[in-house]
Amino acid sequence: MMKTLQTAILLVSLLLVGCTTDSYDTGEGAYSNTVADFAELRSDGAKHGVSFVTDEGVNYILDNTISASWIKTADSVYRACVYYNKVSETMAHAVSCFNIPTLRPKAASNFIRQPQDPLDVESCWMSKNGKYLNMALLIKNGRNESGYESVHALSLVLDETHQNADGTKTAYYRLLHDKGTAPAYYTNRHYVSVLLPNSNRPDSVRLTIKTYSADYVKTLKL
């Protein structure tokens, strides 16, 4: 079945600098001791974040649980940025946490519409475990009369997987962006991850993003 861009991840006010916890005790640890890591956060049967593994492969059990509106499924894994104080080699105390939207590449035939409204790219990098491609995107937005920010939609197209002369394979990714009716009053930074495939894994990816000045193109080895 064809899927429109509206089925993609929606970005609604995911500012790093505006990150807040929903309902868990942040404690009183000194911020000078706080570390921030991209990680996979694990939830328990009560839909609380109870442990996480960083992109460097370090596992921590939390001495305080995380409860947030975006943790909707029990016994699941969420892509997140966790601010924490290290308690021991295996335990941490969560200070703050926010969800990182995660895209999965899909063939162009899955999309009826392929809008490419411009945005800007601050950086793009591979996670140290090679599992994710991370992006820091700069998206223009504005608030309506009720004070809510407009909604943007993102998705990722796999245009082709190219066989190179040296026998390696390169996957060609293209970011789709639908800004809808969002005005351009100010710029927000949004972190987005791409979950890279485990099977039929390419040797590199070539990512293209339409910006306000020119196409942003970056090739990364996996």
Side-chain angles (χ1 to χ4, degrees), residues 87-116:
V87 178
S88 70
E89 293 299 320
T90 59
M91 185 168 291
H93 183 89
V95 174
S96 187
C97 182
F98 68 88
N99 181 230
I100 300 175
T102 303
L103 302 173
R104 292 170 174 80
K106 296 181 180 179
S109 59
N110 283 277
F111 301 93
I112 296 173
R113 298 175 54 247
Q114 297 186 29
Q116 290 182 267

Side-chain angles (χ1 to χ4, degrees), residues 30-51:
Y31 277 85
S32 60
N33 296 323
T34 299
V35 179
D37 274 321
F38 280 21
E40 290 183 336
L41 178 72
R42 298 184 182 92
S43 65
D44 63 5
K47 302 180 184 179
H48 295 148
V50 293
S51 64

Side-chain angles (χ1 to χ4, degrees), residues 1-219:
M1 180 181 293
M2 291 286 195
K3 295 182 180 180
T4 66
L5 189 64
Q6 279 66 36
T7 62
I9 287 175
L10 302 180
L11 299 179
V12 190
S13 189
L14 296 174
L15 271 175
L16 173 63
V17 296
C19 171
T20 59
T21 61
D22 282 349
S23 60
Y24 70 89
D25 182 7
T26 59
E28 297 179 353
Y31 277 85
S32 60
N33 296 323
T34 299
V35 179
D37 274 321
F38 280 21
E40 290 183 336
L41 178 72
R42 298 184 182 92
S43 65
D44 63 5
K47 302 180 184 179
H48 295 148
V50 293
S51 64
F52 64 95
V53 55
T54 71
D55 283 357
E56 289 74 24
V58 182
N59 285 275
Y60 290 104
I61 297 172
L62 292 172
D63 68 358
N64 62 328
T65 60
I66 296 173
S67 177
S69 60
W70 45 268
I71 304 178
K72 299 180 182 295
T73 306
D75 301 314
S76 190
V77 176
Y78 291 86
R79 184 67 170 157
C81 181
V82 183
Y83 288 78
Y84 62 96
N85 293 327
K86 187 175 177 180
V87 178
S88 70
E89 293 299 320
T90 59
M91 185 168 291
H93 183 89
V95 174
S96 187
C97 182
F98 68 88
N99 181 230
I100 300 175
T102 303
L103 302 173
R104 292 170 174 80
K106 296 181 180 179
S109 59
N110 283 277
F111 301 93
I112 296 173
R113 298 175 54 247
Q114 297 186 29
Q116 290 182 267
D117 294 329
L119 48 77
D120 284 317
V121 182
E122 185 176 78
S123 59
C124 180
W125 71 99
M126 288 289 300
S127 63
K128 290 187 178 180
N129 59 13
K131 189 172 182 178
Y132 295 96
L133 187 161
N134 300 309
M135 298 177 284
L137 305 177
L138 303 176
I139 300 178
K140 297 184 183 298
N141 210 341
R143 297 182 182 275
N144 59 25
E145 294 180 355
S146 300
Y148 293 102
E149 285 193 329
S150 299
V151 175
H152 294 245
L154 294 177
S155 194
L156 191 71
V157 173
L158 169 60
D159 282 317
E160 65 169 323
T161 300
H162 180 74
Q163 182 81 37
N164 302 312
D166 61 0
T168 61
K169 294 181 180 180
T170 301
Y172 283 70
Y173 292 163
R174 179 165 46 92
L175 187 70
L176 302 184
H177 172 221
D178 187 352
K179 70 179 185 62
T181 59
Y185 297 150
Y186 47 80
T187 300
N188 288 342
R189 180 195 292 113
H190 297 273
Y191 290 99
V192 178
S193 288
V194 175
L195 181 61
L196 298 168
N198 283 324
S199 60
N200 298 319
R201 186 177 173 90
D203 300 286
S204 61
V205 297
R206 187 176 187 269
L207 175 65
T208 300
I209 302 174
K210 183 177 181 181
T211 72
Y212 287 94
S213 56
D215 281 351
Y216 172 91
V217 181
K218 186 162 185 175
T219 300

